[in-house]
Amino acid sequence: MKHKIVLFFIILSCFTCKLFSQITQASDSFIVYESTNDSIDLSNIQLYFVDSLGYYFFSDFTDSILDISDEIELVGFTMYSGWDSTQIHYPKYDFSTKTDTTYLLLANTNDDYVHPFKGVVTSNFGWRKRRFHYGIDVNLNTGDTVVNAFHGIVRITKLSKSYGNVVVVRHENGLETLYAHLKSRFVSSGDTIKAGAPIGLGGNTGRSRGSHLHYELRYLGVAINPLDIINFDTYRLNNDTLAISKNTFDYMHKISAMKAEAKKAKWVVVKKGESLSVIASRNKTTISRLKQLNNIKGTMIRQGQKLRVR
């Protein structure tokens, strides 16, 4: 590896101008910027390029995610530790340790992004009652065609209990997109597909109530709010570049806090003749607190009902 590194730097020093000229002019080149802090100060940015062959060329590159101290040439997908065609979700990276800001180029031209399906959003990214929704739901009719968002390679295509027929595509810019509840799938794992290529037909498979597309965007296994990237009214990208820092994933801290609180929770089952007043007194709490914890608007409870008391 050391000989390879020395040889690479000799070649790079001889042809630097030519290489960077070719890379910056290539229409399918991707540029990734790494800032040394989260204030997104452009004067502190270090950068590397990915040419049309999928190789990185960089100068004084540092990254809090990717350890490349012993590796000079990297294909576009090797920020991931491996290629898994069975597990839907890549293991989540701990972004709480990230100290810099990554800028992902989303598109060079208008053809680099195609909206998966132009429908009405029925459920957004975020909390739904006590569960977190990691994507966006878009209304469609069973049989409507769903297309791929960015150029990439199909990593997953399978039938899942929760997602139903699901397709996951890993893209050149490091993002992964997930398309769930499909009626049928047109692609196979390992297929290279362009933006706009049909991947399946919309449906109502898996844990789904009514036909819709569940659409997720993830980076190193962690979900990103699609609204941070896409305008679902105009069906276009908000920007051609996405800034990713640990602040992008602040919602993860809230989820962790909710899970920690849930572990401390105490539940009781309502017995015959019991009222909120009786249960509150027995558990050293108040009626208003019981109503808040259990989303109760009135005062009526029923025998056998499960109530959280703390």
Side-chain angles (χ1 to χ4, degrees), residues 134-151:
Y134 289 96
I136 275 187
D137 291 345
V138 178
N139 188 43
L140 50 64
N141 294 317
T142 296
D144 285 340
T145 301
V146 176
V147 302
N148 178 45
F150 303 94
H151 304 325

Side-chain angles (χ1 to χ4, degrees), residues 33-47 59-64 97-103 244-246:
Y33 299 91
E34 287 291 337
S35 173
T36 57
N37 58 60
D38 286 327
S39 63
I40 314 182
D41 182 356
L42 297 182
S43 64
N44 291 328
I45 280 179
Q46 296 171 313
L47 57 84
S59 175
D60 298 327
F61 181 81
T62 59
D63 192 296
S64 65
T97 64
K98 183 170 173 58
T99 58
D100 52 16
T101 300
T102 300
Y103 292 76
I244 295 178
S245 72
K246 66 179 180 181

Side-chain angles (χ1 to χ4, degrees), residues 161-261:
K161 288 183 179 180
S162 57
Y163 284 117
N165 281 307
V166 60
V167 172
V168 178
V169 183
R170 184 172 292 179
H171 305 288
E172 296 171 354
N173 53 22
L175 292 174
E176 286 194 336
T177 50
L178 178 150
Y179 314 81
H181 305 310
L182 303 173
K183 175 186 177 182
S184 58
R185 295 165 276 130
F186 297 159
V187 294
S188 301
S189 179
D191 285 354
T192 298
I193 55 176
K194 293 185 176 295
I199 60 169
L201 301 178
N204 186 29
T205 59
R207 294 174 188 166
S208 170
R209 296 180 179 178
S211 297
H212 71 280
L213 170 67
H214 174 82
Y215 179 52
E216 293 184 15
L217 280 143
R218 290 179 179 250
Y219 181 65
L220 294 180
V222 187
I224 297 176
N225 188 345
L227 293 179
D228 291 345
I229 300 175
I230 303 161
N231 185 317
F232 279 75
D233 293 323
T234 63
Y235 314 124
R236 300 177 67 87
L237 296 174
N238 294 326
N239 202 307
D240 60 5
T241 305
L242 173 66
I244 295 178
S245 72
K246 66 179 180 181
N247 299 326
T248 307
F249 307 99
D250 277 347
Y251 72 89
M252 294 293 291
H253 299 299
K254 297 177 182 178
I255 293 176
S256 297
M258 290 285 287
K259 288 182 178 180
E261 183 182 351

